[in-house]
Amino acid sequence: MTALPSPAGPVAAVPSPAEDRAEDRAESERLAAGFVRGDEETFALVYHRWAALVYSLAARSLGDAREAEDVAQQTFLAAWRGRHGYHAVRGPLPGWLVGIARRKIADAHAARSRRTELASAHAAREGSGVPGPAERPEAALDRVLVTQELRKLPPVQRHILRLAFFDDLTHVQIAERTGLPLGTVKSHARRAILRVRRSVTESSAPVE
């Protein structure tokens, strides 16, 4: 009986570590060039290759998986929008991405600190039983009405307002997080605020 050929075929030569490094370097340079040109397929490859690196940095620093995912998305969106600012002579693409990630991580820590300070101030005010300087007797009712009106908004507008008021993000940060154009974010926020304000005003008006 004739012997069958091995499914593995002929044994290939094993590349040396130096050859591996050279191939990795060449591949990174090719991806960086396509990324800067604005090639979307290359952007997808860049994301799949280095998203885990960015996520792990954020997760270690923030200790929160959801925030780390947000930071990773913000990092790659910011990198894509600012891709023309990348220059290979200043360093490899992964290092540039890590630099953006560190800035986004710092932003996340700052936002977390602001939320903690606001929560502490609110808790102190509630515990004292004394309303804040701008607090009106109707403030509790207003909060209930606002919460109800938020539920009535279209999903995009509701999401933008929650990011603005509950996560304390600026319009620019909301645009980066959602991927929406800045002008669109501002328009949605303005229309949503006007709608909520009008509804709250009408609901709070005294009955004749």
Side-chain angles (χ1 to χ4, degrees), residues 172-183:
V172 173
Q173 291 171 326
I174 292 171
E176 291 178 350
R177 178 172 293 192
T178 61
L180 294 171
L182 180 59

Side-chain angles (χ1 to χ4, degrees), residues 113-131:
S113 297
R114 287 196 298 272
R115 290 196 298 272
T116 301
E117 290 168 3
L118 288 171
S120 298
H122 178 71
R125 191 162 62 242
E126 291 291 321
S128 67
V130 179

Side-chain angles (χ1 to χ4, degrees), residues 1-6:
M1 177 184 292
T2 304
L4 294 174
S6 168

